[in-house]
Amino acid sequence: MEKREIKSFTLAELKEEMEQLGEKPFRAVQMYEWMHRKLSRGYGEMSNIPAAMKAKCGENYSYTALRTVAVQESGLDGTKKFLFALADGNVVESVWMRYKHGNSVCISSQVGCRMGCRFCASTLDGLVRNLTPAEMLDQIYAITLETGERVSNVVVMGSGEPLDNYENLLRFITLLTDENGLHVSQRNITVSTCGIVPVMRKLAEERLQITLALSLHAATDEKRRELMPIANQYTLAELMECCAYYFEQTGRRITFEYSLVRDVNDGQTDAQTLASLIRGLNCHVNLIPVNPVRERAYVQSEKRSVEAFAAFLQKRGINATVRREMGRDIDGACGQLRRRFLAEMNEG
Ligand code: SAH
C-alpha cells in the first residue's frame, strides 16, 4: 500500500497518528510546526524531534517536498514561474506575482486537466492525476522558501480544475488557513472553476469566505459551448442561478473571468449580452486578453476592443477591470512551461 503523506494531515489527525505510534500529543504539535510553519524540507532539520520518532514517521508516511526543476523570471514585472517535480516524476507549474498589496501565488490543482477548454494549454493531453493536499500546499511552501518572502494571496488558477479534485481542495484550504500553519486568510484565497454546478453548490454550503471565480468567457450557451465543453453539461441559466446561490450562502461576491478572444467574444454585442446575463448579480468581471497558445488558433483582442468592452460594462454599473498581464515573456499561459519542458525532455 502506498504510504500516506504526513503533510496532508490536520493537526488533530497528526495527534491521533502520533498517539498510535506511541508518541505524546505535544510531539505532533512540534512536528506540525516544523512542517507547516518552518517549512522543513525533511526530518533532518527537526532538531527537537527524537531520532526514533523521525525514523518511525519515515517508515509510516511519505514526506512531500517538491523539487524545483526550473525557474523563469520575467524581465518585465518580476513575476516568477516555477516548475516543480513531484515524487512520482510528474511536473506541475506555479506562478509567483508581486503586487502592491502583497505576494500572490497561483497554484496547480491537478497534473493536466480533463475539462478540454479550447484555448487552454493545460488540458491538451488530458488529466494525468489529482494533486494531493500536501502537493498543493508545498507549491506555496517551496516558493516561500525560494523567494524568502511571505505569500499573502493564493489563487487556485493554475493547471487543473479544482472542483474536479474537491475533497483534496477542501483539505488544502483547511491546512493553508490553519493558525498553526501559514495562516492565510480565507478572504485571500481564490478558487477558479470552469463551472461544475453541483460541486459549486456543495462549496457554497461550506460557507467559506474564499472568493469563487467562474470562468465564463462567453455570454450565450452557443458561444460558450464552442470554447468550453463543460457548457454542454450546464447551461448559463443554471450557472447564474448557482452563482446567486453562492452569494446567498456565503455573502461573497462572485468574480467572472472573461478571456477576450479577437472576433470570437469581444464585440459590442457580446458585451451587451454579458451585461444582461449578469444584471443584478453581486459580482466583479475580470477581463483577460487571451494568452495565445501555440497549439491553438485563438488571437488576443486588440487593446481598443478590450478597453471598449470594459467601458461598456462599467457604463452599465458593472464592476469590471482588465487584468494586468503578468509574465508575458515567460510562458505566461497555464500549462505552457510544463508543456515546453516535457517536449524538450522527449526531444532530448
Ligand atoms: N479550471 C479552472 C482553473 C484553471 S484555469 C478554471 O477553468 O477556471 C484559470 C483561468 O485561466 C480560467 O479562467 C481559464 O479559462 C483561463 N485560461 C486558460 N487558458 C487561457 C489562455 N490561453 N488565455 C487566457 N486565459 C486562459
Side-chain angles (χ1 to χ4, degrees), residues 109 113 115 117 119-122 156-162 191-195 213-217 228 257-260 288-293 323 333-334 336:
S109 57
C113 181
M115 294 299 135
C117 298
F119 43 82
C120 180
S122 302
V156 188
M157 264 190 204
S159 294
E161 168 50 48
V191 171
S192 177
T193 179
C194 63
L214 173 69
S215 300
L216 200 55
H217 305 322
M228 307 172 70
E257 289 163 281
Y258 194 103
S259 296
L260 289 157
I288 313 150
V290 80
N291 250 312
V293 172
R323 186 186 293 168
C334 305
Q336 291 196 133

PDB file of all heavy atoms in Angstrom, residues 109 113 115 117 119-122 156-162 191-195 213-217 228 257-260 288-293 323 333-334 336, ligand 1:
ATOM      1  N   SER A 109      -3.831  22.499  -9.371  1.00  0.00           N
ATOM      2  CA  SER A 109      -4.597  21.567  -8.531  1.00  0.00           C
ATOM      3  C   SER A 109      -4.602  20.141  -9.095  1.00  0.00           C
ATOM      4  O   SER A 109      -4.997  19.203  -8.416  1.00  0.00           O
ATOM      5  CB  SER A 109      -6.033  22.061  -8.370  1.00  0.00           C
ATOM      6  OG  SER A 109      -6.645  22.227  -9.634  1.00  0.00           O
ATOM      7  N   CYS A 113      -5.465  18.217 -17.069  1.00  0.00           N
ATOM      8  CA  CYS A 113      -6.851  18.600 -16.795  1.00  0.00           C
ATOM      9  C   CYS A 113      -7.736  17.879 -17.797  1.00  0.00           C
ATOM     10  O   CYS A 113      -7.307  17.605 -18.915  1.00  0.00           O
ATOM     11  CB  CYS A 113      -7.002  20.112 -16.969  1.00  0.00           C
ATOM     12  SG  CYS A 113      -8.659  20.746 -16.623  1.00  0.00           S
ATOM     13  N   MET A 115     -10.924  19.010 -18.622  1.00  0.00           N
ATOM     14  CA  MET A 115     -12.061  19.850 -18.964  1.00  0.00           C
ATOM     15  C   MET A 115     -12.097  20.259 -20.443  1.00  0.00           C
ATOM     16  O   MET A 115     -13.135  20.596 -20.974  1.00  0.00           O
ATOM     17  CB  MET A 115     -12.082  21.096 -18.065  1.00  0.00           C
ATOM     18  CG  MET A 115     -12.339  20.752 -16.608  1.00  0.00           C
ATOM     19  SD  MET A 115     -13.948  19.953 -16.379  1.00  0.00           S
ATOM     20  CE  MET A 115     -13.550  18.606 -15.277  1.00  0.00           C
ATOM     21  N   CYS A 117     -11.043  22.892 -22.263  1.00  0.00           N
ATOM     22  CA  CYS A 117     -11.286  24.246 -22.779  1.00  0.00           C
ATOM     23  C   CYS A 117     -10.365  24.494 -23.980  1.00  0.00           C
ATOM     24  O   CYS A 117      -9.171  24.197 -23.938  1.00  0.00           O
ATOM     25  CB  CYS A 117     -11.035  25.286 -21.689  1.00  0.00           C
ATOM     26  SG  CYS A 117     -12.148  25.092 -20.290  1.00  0.00           S
ATOM     27  N   PHE A 119      -8.988  27.007 -25.484  1.00  0.00           N
ATOM     28  CA  PHE A 119      -7.896  27.992 -25.549  1.00  0.00           C
ATOM     29  C   PHE A 119      -6.794  27.678 -24.542  1.00  0.00           C
ATOM     30  O   PHE A 119      -5.843  28.422 -24.381  1.00  0.00           O
ATOM     31  CB  PHE A 119      -8.462  29.382 -25.232  1.00  0.00           C
ATOM     32  CG  PHE A 119      -9.410  29.323 -24.062  1.00  0.00           C
ATOM     33  CD1 PHE A 119      -8.925  29.324 -22.782  1.00  0.00           C
ATOM     34  CD2 PHE A 119     -10.781  29.200 -24.269  1.00  0.00           C
ATOM     35  CE1 PHE A 119      -9.776  29.199 -21.706  1.00  0.00           C
ATOM     36  CE2 PHE A 119     -11.647  29.083 -23.189  1.00  0.00           C
ATOM     37  CZ  PHE A 119     -11.142  29.073 -21.908  1.00  0.00           C
ATOM     38  N   CYS A 120      -6.930  26.571 -23.811  1.00  0.00           N
ATOM     39  CA  CYS A 120      -6.061  26.334 -22.649  1.00  0.00           C
ATOM     40  C   CYS A 120      -5.023  25.255 -22.932  1.00  0.00           C
ATOM     41  O   CYS A 120      -5.335  24.196 -23.475  1.00  0.00           O
ATOM     42  CB  CYS A 120      -6.912  25.930 -21.453  1.00  0.00           C
ATOM     43  SG  CYS A 120      -5.938  25.604 -19.972  1.00  0.00           S
ATOM     44  N   ALA A 121      -3.772  25.522 -22.540  1.00  0.00           N
ATOM     45  CA  ALA A 121      -2.676  24.584 -22.816  1.00  0.00           C
ATOM     46  C   ALA A 121      -2.639  23.425 -21.818  1.00  0.00           C
ATOM     47  O   ALA A 121      -2.107  22.363 -22.111  1.00  0.00           O
ATOM     48  CB  ALA A 121      -1.343  25.333 -22.775  1.00  0.00           C
ATOM     49  N   SER A 122      -3.226  23.614 -20.619  1.00  0.00           N
ATOM     50  CA  SER A 122      -3.124  22.581 -19.571  1.00  0.00           C
ATOM     51  C   SER A 122      -3.851  21.302 -19.927  1.00  0.00           C
ATOM     52  O   SER A 122      -3.551  20.237 -19.398  1.00  0.00           O
ATOM     53  CB  SER A 122      -3.712  23.100 -18.264  1.00  0.00           C
ATOM     54  OG  SER A 122      -3.070  24.251 -17.868  1.00  0.00           O
ATOM     55  N   VAL A 156      -6.106  29.504  -6.838  1.00  0.00           N
ATOM     56  CA  VAL A 156      -6.058  28.151  -7.401  1.00  0.00           C
ATOM     57  C   VAL A 156      -6.541  28.294  -8.840  1.00  0.00           C
ATOM     58  O   VAL A 156      -7.709  28.122  -9.157  1.00  0.00           O
ATOM     59  CB  VAL A 156      -6.928  27.170  -6.594  1.00  0.00           C
ATOM     60  CG1 VAL A 156      -6.702  25.742  -7.086  1.00  0.00           C
ATOM     61  CG2 VAL A 156      -6.613  27.268  -5.111  1.00  0.00           C
ATOM     62  N   MET A 157      -5.600  28.715  -9.678  1.00  0.00           N
ATOM     63  CA  MET A 157      -5.905  29.097 -11.062  1.00  0.00           C
ATOM     64  C   MET A 157      -4.864  28.569 -12.019  1.00  0.00           C
ATOM     65  O   MET A 157      -4.781  28.997 -13.161  1.00  0.00           O
ATOM     66  CB  MET A 157      -5.900  30.621 -11.185  1.00  0.00           C
ATOM     67  CG  MET A 157      -7.243  31.245 -11.063  1.00  0.00           C
ATOM     68  SD  MET A 157      -7.131  32.975 -11.500  1.00  0.00           S
ATOM     69  CE  MET A 157      -8.548  33.581 -10.614  1.00  0.00           C
ATOM     70  N   GLY A 158      -4.011  27.681 -11.533  1.00  0.00           N
ATOM     71  CA  GLY A 158      -3.014  27.085 -12.411  1.00  0.00           C
ATOM     72  C   GLY A 158      -3.648  25.920 -13.159  1.00  0.00           C
ATOM     73  O   GLY A 158      -4.852  25.895 -13.378  1.00  0.00           O
ATOM     74  N   SER A 159      -2.830  24.935 -13.506  1.00  0.00           N
ATOM     75  CA  SER A 159      -3.369  23.796 -14.252  1.00  0.00           C
ATOM     76  C   SER A 159      -4.344  23.008 -13.387  1.00  0.00           C
ATOM     77  O   SER A 159      -4.163  22.868 -12.187  1.00  0.00           O
ATOM     78  CB  SER A 159      -2.230  22.875 -14.667  1.00  0.00           C
ATOM     79  OG  SER A 159      -1.401  23.555 -15.586  1.00  0.00           O
ATOM     80  N   GLY A 160      -5.374  22.510 -14.051  1.00  0.00           N
ATOM     81  CA  GLY A 160      -6.327  21.645 -13.367  1.00  0.00           C
ATOM     82  C   GLY A 160      -7.632  22.326 -13.034  1.00  0.00           C
ATOM     83  O   GLY A 160      -7.732  23.549 -13.047  1.00  0.00           O
ATOM     84  N   GLU A 161      -8.636  21.507 -12.751  1.00  0.00           N
ATOM     85  CA  GLU A 161      -9.942  22.016 -12.338  1.00  0.00           C
ATOM     86  C   GLU A 161     -10.123  21.665 -10.859  1.00  0.00           C
ATOM     87  O   GLU A 161     -10.331  20.504 -10.514  1.00  0.00           O
ATOM     88  CB  GLU A 161     -11.047  21.371 -13.203  1.00  0.00           C
ATOM     89  CG  GLU A 161     -12.461  21.586 -12.719  1.00  0.00           C
ATOM     90  CD  GLU A 161     -12.813  23.038 -12.404  1.00  0.00           C
ATOM     91  OE1 GLU A 161     -12.531  23.945 -13.203  1.00  0.00           O
ATOM     92  OE2 GLU A 161     -13.383  23.270 -11.314  1.00  0.00           O
ATOM     93  N   PRO A 162     -10.012  22.681  -9.981  1.00  0.00           N
ATOM     94  CA  PRO A 162     -10.039  22.393  -8.548  1.00  0.00           C
ATOM     95  C   PRO A 162     -11.326  21.676  -8.089  1.00  0.00           C
ATOM     96  O   PRO A 162     -11.271  20.854  -7.186  1.00  0.00           O
ATOM     97  CB  PRO A 162      -9.901  23.765  -7.887  1.00  0.00           C
ATOM     98  CG  PRO A 162     -10.030  24.773  -8.968  1.00  0.00           C
ATOM     99  CD  PRO A 162      -9.730  24.106 -10.253  1.00  0.00           C
ATOM    100  N   VAL A 191     -10.574  30.522  -5.633  1.00  0.00           N
ATOM    101  CA  VAL A 191     -10.655  29.247  -6.350  1.00  0.00           C
ATOM    102  C   VAL A 191     -11.390  29.496  -7.657  1.00  0.00           C
ATOM    103  O   VAL A 191     -12.481  30.069  -7.666  1.00  0.00           O
ATOM    104  CB  VAL A 191     -11.406  28.187  -5.512  1.00  0.00           C
ATOM    105  CG1 VAL A 191     -11.685  26.936  -6.332  1.00  0.00           C
ATOM    106  CG2 VAL A 191     -10.614  27.835  -4.258  1.00  0.00           C
ATOM    107  N   SER A 192     -10.765  29.078  -8.744  1.00  0.00           N
ATOM    108  CA  SER A 192     -11.350  29.341 -10.059  1.00  0.00           C
ATOM    109  C   SER A 192     -11.891  28.043 -10.650  1.00  0.00           C
ATOM    110  O   SER A 192     -11.223  27.015 -10.650  1.00  0.00           O
ATOM    111  CB  SER A 192     -10.257  29.907 -10.965  1.00  0.00           C
ATOM    112  OG  SER A 192     -10.745  30.115 -12.262  1.00  0.00           O
ATOM    113  N   THR A 193     -13.109  28.095 -11.156  1.00  0.00           N
ATOM    114  CA  THR A 193     -13.718  26.900 -11.737  1.00  0.00           C
ATOM    115  C   THR A 193     -14.289  27.183 -13.115  1.00  0.00           C
ATOM    116  O   THR A 193     -14.699  28.303 -13.414  1.00  0.00           O
ATOM    117  CB  THR A 193     -14.838  26.349 -10.827  1.00  0.00           C
ATOM    118  OG1 THR A 193     -15.415  25.194 -11.458  1.00  0.00           O
ATOM    119  CG2 THR A 193     -15.932  27.382 -10.588  1.00  0.00           C
ATOM    120  N   CYS A 194     -14.338  26.132 -13.940  1.00  0.00           N
ATOM    121  CA  CYS A 194     -14.971  26.275 -15.244  1.00  0.00           C
ATOM    122  C   CYS A 194     -16.489  26.161 -15.116  1.00  0.00           C
ATOM    123  O   CYS A 194     -17.213  26.335 -16.083  1.00  0.00           O
ATOM    124  CB  CYS A 194     -14.425  25.230 -16.209  1.00  0.00           C
ATOM    125  SG  CYS A 194     -14.801  23.546 -15.702  1.00  0.00           S
ATOM    126  N   GLY A 195     -16.971  25.847 -13.891  1.00  0.00           N
ATOM    127  CA  GLY A 195     -18.415  25.860 -13.668  1.00  0.00           C
ATOM    128  C   GLY A 195     -19.078  24.496 -13.549  1.00  0.00           C
ATOM    129  O   GLY A 195     -19.989  24.167 -14.305  1.00  0.00           O
ATOM    130  N   ALA A 213     -14.152  32.223  -8.344  1.00  0.00           N
ATOM    131  CA  ALA A 213     -14.075  32.838  -9.664  1.00  0.00           C
ATOM    132  C   ALA A 213     -14.660  31.844 -10.673  1.00  0.00           C
ATOM    133  O   ALA A 213     -14.330  30.662 -10.638  1.00  0.00           O
ATOM    134  CB  ALA A 213     -12.617  33.142 -10.013  1.00  0.00           C
ATOM    135  N   LEU A 214     -15.536  32.331 -11.500  1.00  0.00           N
ATOM    136  CA  LEU A 214     -16.138  31.461 -12.511  1.00  0.00           C
ATOM    137  C   LEU A 214     -15.619  31.850 -13.890  1.00  0.00           C
ATOM    138  O   LEU A 214     -15.720  33.009 -14.304  1.00  0.00           O
ATOM    139  CB  LEU A 214     -17.666  31.591 -12.470  1.00  0.00           C
ATOM    140  CG  LEU A 214     -18.379  30.838 -13.598  1.00  0.00           C
ATOM    141  CD1 LEU A 214     -18.259  29.341 -13.438  1.00  0.00           C
ATOM    142  CD2 LEU A 214     -19.837  31.245 -13.681  1.00  0.00           C
ATOM    143  N   SER A 215     -15.076  30.875 -14.590  1.00  0.00           N
ATOM    144  CA  SER A 215     -14.587  31.130 -15.942  1.00  0.00           C
ATOM    145  C   SER A 215     -15.774  31.129 -16.890  1.00  0.00           C
ATOM    146  O   SER A 215     -16.292  30.079 -17.246  1.00  0.00           O
ATOM    147  CB  SER A 215     -13.586  30.049 -16.341  1.00  0.00           C
ATOM    148  OG  SER A 215     -12.515  30.060 -15.433  1.00  0.00           O
ATOM    149  N   LEU A 216     -16.179  32.308 -17.269  1.00  0.00           N
ATOM    150  CA  LEU A 216     -17.390  32.444 -18.078  1.00  0.00           C
ATOM    151  C   LEU A 216     -17.035  32.450 -19.564  1.00  0.00           C
ATOM    152  O   LEU A 216     -17.482  31.597 -20.318  1.00  0.00           O
ATOM    153  CB  LEU A 216     -18.075  33.751 -17.664  1.00  0.00           C
ATOM    154  CG  LEU A 216     -19.542  33.929 -17.983  1.00  0.00           C
ATOM    155  CD1 LEU A 216     -20.386  32.798 -17.419  1.00  0.00           C
ATOM    156  CD2 LEU A 216     -20.034  35.262 -17.397  1.00  0.00           C
ATOM    157  N   HIS A 217     -16.282  33.435 -19.984  1.00  0.00           N
ATOM    158  CA  HIS A 217     -15.711  33.534 -21.342  1.00  0.00           C
ATOM    159  C   HIS A 217     -16.712  33.709 -22.480  1.00  0.00           C
ATOM    160  O   HIS A 217     -16.314  33.961 -23.620  1.00  0.00           O
ATOM    161  CB  HIS A 217     -14.793  32.347 -21.656  1.00  0.00           C
ATOM    162  CG  HIS A 217     -13.698  32.133 -20.664  1.00  0.00           C
ATOM    163  ND1 HIS A 217     -13.019  33.171 -20.074  1.00  0.00           N
ATOM    164  CD2 HIS A 217     -13.157  30.999 -20.137  1.00  0.00           C
ATOM    165  CE1 HIS A 217     -12.113  32.690 -19.228  1.00  0.00           C
ATOM    166  NE2 HIS A 217     -12.185  31.390 -19.250  1.00  0.00           N
ATOM    167  N   MET A 228     -15.831  25.943 -24.377  1.00  0.00           N
ATOM    168  CA  MET A 228     -15.686  25.114 -23.178  1.00  0.00           C
ATOM    169  C   MET A 228     -16.663  23.934 -23.205  1.00  0.00           C
ATOM    170  O   MET A 228     -17.872  24.123 -23.066  1.00  0.00           O
ATOM    171  CB  MET A 228     -15.967  25.970 -21.931  1.00  0.00           C
ATOM    172  CG  MET A 228     -15.150  27.240 -21.860  1.00  0.00           C
ATOM    173  SD  MET A 228     -15.654  28.313 -20.512  1.00  0.00           S
ATOM    174  CE  MET A 228     -15.087  27.388 -19.084  1.00  0.00           C
ATOM    175  N   GLU A 257     -14.586  35.481 -14.795  1.00  0.00           N
ATOM    176  CA  GLU A 257     -13.419  35.648 -15.641  1.00  0.00           C
ATOM    177  C   GLU A 257     -13.866  35.572 -17.090  1.00  0.00           C
ATOM    178  O   GLU A 257     -14.646  34.687 -17.470  1.00  0.00           O
ATOM    179  CB  GLU A 257     -12.393  34.553 -15.367  1.00  0.00           C
ATOM    180  CG  GLU A 257     -11.730  34.717 -14.024  1.00  0.00           C
ATOM    181  CD  GLU A 257     -11.051  33.444 -13.606  1.00  0.00           C
ATOM    182  OE1 GLU A 257     -11.739  32.527 -13.142  1.00  0.00           O
ATOM    183  OE2 GLU A 257      -9.841  33.363 -13.772  1.00  0.00           O
ATOM    184  N   TYR A 258     -13.381  36.497 -17.859  1.00  0.00           N
ATOM    185  CA  TYR A 258     -13.796  36.545 -19.260  1.00  0.00           C
ATOM    186  C   TYR A 258     -12.553  36.815 -20.103  1.00  0.00           C
ATOM    187  O   TYR A 258     -11.992  37.910 -20.080  1.00  0.00           O
ATOM    188  CB  TYR A 258     -14.847  37.650 -19.416  1.00  0.00           C
ATOM    189  CG  TYR A 258     -15.627  37.626 -20.716  1.00  0.00           C
ATOM    190  CD1 TYR A 258     -16.932  37.148 -20.757  1.00  0.00           C
ATOM    191  CD2 TYR A 258     -15.054  38.106 -21.895  1.00  0.00           C
ATOM    192  CE1 TYR A 258     -17.656  37.143 -21.954  1.00  0.00           C
ATOM    193  CE2 TYR A 258     -15.774  38.107 -23.089  1.00  0.00           C
ATOM    194  CZ  TYR A 258     -17.068  37.630 -23.105  1.00  0.00           C
ATOM    195  OH  TYR A 258     -17.782  37.626 -24.283  1.00  0.00           O
ATOM    196  N   SER A 259     -12.083  35.780 -20.780  1.00  0.00           N
ATOM    197  CA  SER A 259     -10.908  35.935 -21.637  1.00  0.00           C
ATOM    198  C   SER A 259     -11.350  36.440 -22.996  1.00  0.00           C
ATOM    199  O   SER A 259     -12.210  35.832 -23.634  1.00  0.00           O
ATOM    200  CB  SER A 259     -10.182  34.598 -21.822  1.00  0.00           C
ATOM    201  OG  SER A 259      -9.684  34.153 -20.591  1.00  0.00           O
ATOM    202  N   LEU A 260     -10.747  37.530 -23.419  1.00  0.00           N
ATOM    203  CA  LEU A 260     -11.191  38.141 -24.678  1.00  0.00           C
ATOM    204  C   LEU A 260     -10.415  37.582 -25.862  1.00  0.00           C
ATOM    205  O   LEU A 260      -9.182  37.659 -25.919  1.00  0.00           O
ATOM    206  CB  LEU A 260     -11.013  39.652 -24.587  1.00  0.00           C
ATOM    207  CG  LEU A 260     -12.012  40.312 -23.618  1.00  0.00           C
ATOM    208  CD1 LEU A 260     -11.491  41.641 -23.125  1.00  0.00           C
ATOM    209  CD2 LEU A 260     -13.376  40.479 -24.286  1.00  0.00           C
ATOM    210  N   ILE A 288      -9.650  39.374 -19.346  1.00  0.00           N
ATOM    211  CA  ILE A 288      -8.280  38.906 -19.579  1.00  0.00           C
ATOM    212  C   ILE A 288      -8.056  38.752 -21.079  1.00  0.00           C
ATOM    213  O   ILE A 288      -8.699  37.925 -21.707  1.00  0.00           O
ATOM    214  CB  ILE A 288      -8.063  37.510 -18.939  1.00  0.00           C
ATOM    215  CG1 ILE A 288      -8.608  37.479 -17.515  1.00  0.00           C
ATOM    216  CG2 ILE A 288      -6.611  37.085 -19.001  1.00  0.00           C
ATOM    217  CD1 ILE A 288      -9.094  36.108 -17.085  1.00  0.00           C
ATOM    218  N   PRO A 289      -7.173  39.567 -21.647  1.00  0.00           N
ATOM    219  CA  PRO A 289      -6.863  39.340 -23.066  1.00  0.00           C
ATOM    220  C   PRO A 289      -6.297  37.930 -23.196  1.00  0.00           C
ATOM    221  O   PRO A 289      -5.369  37.587 -22.471  1.00  0.00           O
ATOM    222  CB  PRO A 289      -5.789  40.386 -23.373  1.00  0.00           C
ATOM    223  CG  PRO A 289      -5.844  41.365 -22.239  1.00  0.00           C
ATOM    224  CD  PRO A 289      -6.364  40.626 -21.052  1.00  0.00           C
ATOM    225  N   VAL A 290      -6.875  37.091 -24.041  1.00  0.00           N
ATOM    226  CA  VAL A 290      -6.477  35.677 -24.096  1.00  0.00           C
ATOM    227  C   VAL A 290      -4.977  35.573 -24.362  1.00  0.00           C
ATOM    228  O   VAL A 290      -4.400  36.354 -25.123  1.00  0.00           O
ATOM    229  CB  VAL A 290      -7.299  34.891 -25.150  1.00  0.00           C
ATOM    230  CG1 VAL A 290      -6.787  35.103 -26.553  1.00  0.00           C
ATOM    231  CG2 VAL A 290      -7.337  33.409 -24.817  1.00  0.00           C
ATOM    232  N   ASN A 291      -4.340  34.642 -23.695  1.00  0.00           N
ATOM    233  CA  ASN A 291      -2.925  34.383 -23.889  1.00  0.00           C
ATOM    234  C   ASN A 291      -2.778  33.437 -25.061  1.00  0.00           C
ATOM    235  O   ASN A 291      -3.239  32.312 -24.984  1.00  0.00           O
ATOM    236  CB  ASN A 291      -2.377  33.657 -22.654  1.00  0.00           C
ATOM    237  CG  ASN A 291      -1.453  34.516 -21.849  1.00  0.00           C
ATOM    238  OD1 ASN A 291      -0.549  35.146 -22.376  1.00  0.00           O
ATOM    239  ND2 ASN A 291      -1.693  34.544 -20.555  1.00  0.00           N
ATOM    240  N   PRO A 292      -2.135  33.850 -26.124  1.00  0.00           N
ATOM    241  CA  PRO A 292      -2.051  32.942 -27.275  1.00  0.00           C
ATOM    242  C   PRO A 292      -1.277  31.673 -26.886  1.00  0.00           C
ATOM    243  O   PRO A 292      -0.248  31.744 -26.243  1.00  0.00           O
ATOM    244  CB  PRO A 292      -1.267  33.742 -28.316  1.00  0.00           C
ATOM    245  CG  PRO A 292      -1.204  35.131 -27.806  1.00  0.00           C
ATOM    246  CD  PRO A 292      -1.424  35.100 -26.330  1.00  0.00           C
ATOM    247  N   VAL A 293      -1.807  30.521 -27.273  1.00  0.00           N
ATOM    248  CA  VAL A 293      -1.166  29.234 -27.017  1.00  0.00           C
ATOM    249  C   VAL A 293      -0.768  28.674 -28.374  1.00  0.00           C
ATOM    250  O   VAL A 293      -1.563  28.698 -29.309  1.00  0.00           O
ATOM    251  CB  VAL A 293      -2.153  28.284 -26.301  1.00  0.00           C
ATOM    252  CG1 VAL A 293      -1.602  26.876 -26.200  1.00  0.00           C
ATOM    253  CG2 VAL A 293      -2.494  28.823 -24.916  1.00  0.00           C
ATOM    254  N   ARG A 323      -7.441  42.609 -16.407  1.00  0.00           N
ATOM    255  CA  ARG A 323      -6.326  42.033 -15.649  1.00  0.00           C
ATOM    256  C   ARG A 323      -5.016  42.423 -16.287  1.00  0.00           C
ATOM    257  O   ARG A 323      -4.827  42.306 -17.488  1.00  0.00           O
ATOM    258  CB  ARG A 323      -6.428  40.518 -15.584  1.00  0.00           C
ATOM    259  CG  ARG A 323      -5.351  39.941 -14.666  1.00  0.00           C
ATOM    260  CD  ARG A 323      -5.296  38.450 -14.664  1.00  0.00           C
ATOM    261  NE  ARG A 323      -6.485  37.876 -14.071  1.00  0.00           N
ATOM    262  CZ  ARG A 323      -6.788  36.587 -14.151  1.00  0.00           C
ATOM    263  NH1 ARG A 323      -5.993  35.777 -14.814  1.00  0.00           N
ATOM    264  NH2 ARG A 323      -7.869  36.116 -13.584  1.00  0.00           N
ATOM    265  N   ALA A 333       0.828  31.694 -20.087  1.00  0.00           N
ATOM    266  CA  ALA A 333      -0.449  30.966 -20.053  1.00  0.00           C
ATOM    267  C   ALA A 333      -0.317  29.616 -19.375  1.00  0.00           C
ATOM    268  O   ALA A 333       0.697  28.933 -19.477  1.00  0.00           O
ATOM    269  CB  ALA A 333      -0.980  30.792 -21.467  1.00  0.00           C
ATOM    270  N   CYS A 334      -1.397  29.247 -18.676  1.00  0.00           N
ATOM    271  CA  CYS A 334      -1.453  27.985 -17.924  1.00  0.00           C
ATOM    272  C   CYS A 334      -0.914  26.824 -18.725  1.00  0.00           C
ATOM    273  O   CYS A 334      -1.324  26.574 -19.844  1.00  0.00           O
ATOM    274  CB  CYS A 334      -2.896  27.615 -17.604  1.00  0.00           C
ATOM    275  SG  CYS A 334      -3.792  28.862 -16.760  1.00  0.00           S
ATOM    276  N   GLN A 336       1.891  26.160 -20.138  1.00  0.00           N
ATOM    277  CA  GLN A 336       2.841  26.295 -21.245  1.00  0.00           C
ATOM    278  C   GLN A 336       4.267  25.889 -20.877  1.00  0.00           C
ATOM    279  O   GLN A 336       4.957  25.268 -21.665  1.00  0.00           O
ATOM    280  CB  GLN A 336       2.841  27.735 -21.776  1.00  0.00           C
ATOM    281  CG  GLN A 336       1.553  28.082 -22.466  1.00  0.00           C
ATOM    282  CD  GLN A 336       1.671  29.331 -23.319  1.00  0.00           C
ATOM    283  OE1 GLN A 336       1.247  29.363 -24.439  1.00  0.00           O
ATOM    284  NE2 GLN A 336       2.249  30.361 -22.767  1.00  0.00           N
TER     285      GLN A 336
HETATM  286  N1  SAH B   1     -10.008  25.025 -14.257  1.00  0.00           N
HETATM  287  C1  SAH B   1     -10.179  26.273 -13.595  1.00  0.00           C
HETATM  288  C2  SAH B   1      -8.887  26.941 -13.154  1.00  0.00           C
HETATM  289  C3  SAH B   1      -7.698  26.882 -14.053  1.00  0.00           C
HETATM  290  S1  SAH B   1      -7.657  27.933 -15.465  1.00  0.00           S
HETATM  291  C4  SAH B   1     -10.996  27.216 -14.455  1.00  0.00           C
HETATM  292  O1  SAH B   1     -11.384  26.829 -15.541  1.00  0.00           O
HETATM  293  O2  SAH B   1     -11.310  28.290 -14.015  1.00  0.00           O
HETATM  294  C5  SAH B   1      -7.541  29.565 -14.850  1.00  0.00           C
HETATM  295  C6  SAH B   1      -8.135  30.603 -15.761  1.00  0.00           C
HETATM  296  O3  SAH B   1      -7.317  30.823 -16.910  1.00  0.00           O
HETATM  297  C7  SAH B   1      -9.509  30.211 -16.292  1.00  0.00           C
HETATM  298  O4  SAH B   1     -10.354  31.322 -16.297  1.00  0.00           O
HETATM  299  C8  SAH B   1      -9.168  29.779 -17.698  1.00  0.00           C
HETATM  300  O5  SAH B   1     -10.299  29.797 -18.509  1.00  0.00           O
HETATM  301  C9  SAH B   1      -8.107  30.795 -18.074  1.00  0.00           C
HETATM  302  N2  SAH B   1      -7.258  30.450 -19.209  1.00  0.00           N
HETATM  303  C10 SAH B   1      -6.786  29.257 -19.590  1.00  0.00           C
HETATM  304  N3  SAH B   1      -6.033  29.357 -20.707  1.00  0.00           N
HETATM  305  C11 SAH B   1      -6.015  30.653 -21.019  1.00  0.00           C
HETATM  306  C12 SAH B   1      -5.421  31.392 -22.072  1.00  0.00           C
HETATM  307  N4  SAH B   1      -4.686  30.807 -23.006  1.00  0.00           N
HETATM  308  N5  SAH B   1      -5.625  32.727 -22.088  1.00  0.00           N
HETATM  309  C13 SAH B   1      -6.363  33.341 -21.130  1.00  0.00           C
HETATM  310  N6  SAH B   1      -6.955  32.695 -20.118  1.00  0.00           N
HETATM  311  C14 SAH B   1      -6.795  31.366 -20.078  1.00  0.00           C
END
